[in-house]
Amino acid sequence: QVQLVASGGGLVQPGGSLRLSCAASGSISRISSMGWSRQAPGKQREWVSIITSVGSTNYADSVKGRFTISRDNAKNTVYLQMNSLKPEDTAVYYCYTDTGAVRYWGQGTQVTVSS
């Protein structure tokens, strides 16, 4: 079992920045990739970004160039630096991690972009 605790969400004005964090605990030796998805009100969950165990990254087109994913393996933590935020980035952001056949999800953190 892996437990994920996400933090860092909040209210920010358009054009602003936020940094999300997600700390993993439990069977962390089995963790490979880590990433983020988001779900806006009334919409399906949308994949945002992923980082592999060796640091390769990928992003959804909607956030490419604005968001940066990183991880600190010593702290078992994945980060999402979000810059140039737009109102359409408003959503609950969920971190996840893959341990082979199983994907674990964190509890979600709310990001609201509004003036």
Side-chain angles (χ1 to χ4, degrees):
Q1 290 280 348
V2 176
Q3 295 78 44
L4 299 171
V5 178
S7 60
L11 173 64
V12 63
Q13 292 186 342
S17 298
L18 280 176
R19 188 195 196 204
L20 306 183
S21 301
C22 178
S25 61
S27 301
I28 56 177
S29 62
R30 304 174 65 182
I31 289 176
S32 57
S33 298
M34 302 184 78
W36 295 89
S37 291
R38 66 186 181 185
Q39 188 164 18
K43 294 187 177 181
Q44 290 188 331
R45 191 171 294 191
E46 172 192 25
W47 173 78
V48 173
S49 183
I50 191 169
I51 183 165
T52 69
S53 58
V54 295
S56 297
T57 60
N58 201 5
Y59 300 91
D61 288 342
S62 58
V63 306
K64 200 171 292 184
R66 300 187 298 121
F67 290 10
T68 302
I69 191 169
S70 61
R71 66 191 285 175
D72 184 333
N73 290 329
K75 296 181 178 180
N76 304 309
T77 299
V78 62
Y79 305 96
L80 188 67
Q81 177 67 43
M82 305 184 295
N83 299 328
S84 303
L85 282 162
K86 305 175 181 179
E88 51 264 42
D89 294 317
T90 295
V92 177
Y93 283 70
Y94 298 91
C95 59
Y96 67 87
T97 186
D98 293 318
T99 60
V102 180
R103 174 166 287 184
Y104 294 91
W105 292 93
Q107 86 284 10
T109 184
Q110 176 70 47
V111 172
T112 302
V113 185
S114 175
S115 55

